[in-house]
Amino acid sequence: MMLFSPSRLAAKPSLWQDWREDVACVFARDPAARNVFEVLFAYPGVHAVLIYRVTHRLWLAEWKFAARFLAAFGRWLTNVDIHPGATIGKRFFIDHGACVVIGETAEIGNDVTMYHGVTLGGTTWHKTKRHPTLGNNVLVGAGAKILGAITLGDNVRVGANSVVVKDVPPCCTVIGIPGRIIQQKGVKIQDPRGIDLDHHLVPDPIGKAINCLVERLDELEHNQKRFVVAEDTCGSCEAEGVCHGDEVVQLKQAAGGK
């Protein structure tokens, strides 16, 4: 697994090249995108990423205040909060960009897609690595929270509204609160671009558990009927033991009968 890291920025591309790739990737992931002008003027997620590219360069150049000021303006404009210190790879796309928060020490690989409401947050106040690291081709569903200095491998899918607090191996699907790995797809992924949007194919572990409980209840009820003897029309009398035998009487009493 190859994760994105600052050490891989030795040959950093130009700002113009990054911008072009950030805009071009929208057409591969959003079927509603019709032309470049629409993407440039009507996509707040794209605006946030383009502004981040500038703020990150200012941050690396030690222009800290200028970077934070421009980032604050970008947040006001797009409702997306990306810290200038975060490290984000190529072709990053925030679909329906709104209420997205990416912390200072977060690291994001190439070809990552996020939806609205996603948070890459920290779990400590210490000035250390405290935000998540995402590999390449990761998809994060709407409202998901990924917290702490954890690592999500390449080709990971995070279900909507999940809360992930532990490492996730490559090529896995994680959902729930807290996040649980429910599917391992192997190294090969379905989409040749690495963007897997088949949210409707995510397994339902809660529904599966309920089905298992229903099957167990049916089995228990079936076994119980084998030991319950129905009431006779003659009712209860002192000759019960003579008519049916002591063994049947004991079984009826054990089952709650008279």
Side-chain angles (χ1 to χ4, degrees), residues 88-152:
I88 300 178
K90 299 180 179 180
R91 298 174 295 278
F92 178 52
F93 179 43
I94 304 175
D95 199 359
H96 298 284
C99 302
V100 172
V101 177
I102 300 176
E104 177 185 6
T105 61
E107 299 179 44
I108 301 175
N110 299 323
D111 301 300
V112 172
T113 303
M114 287 184 184
Y115 288 87
H116 55 280
V118 171
T119 298
L120 304 186
T123 55
T124 178
W125 289 345
H126 299 294
K127 293 182 179 297
T128 58
K129 169 65 174 173
R130 58 191 183 278
H131 297 96
T133 297
L134 276 59
N136 301 321
N137 305 321
V138 173
L139 173 69
V140 186
K145 316 300 177 187
I146 306 175
L147 307 176
I150 61 176
T151 299
L152 276 62

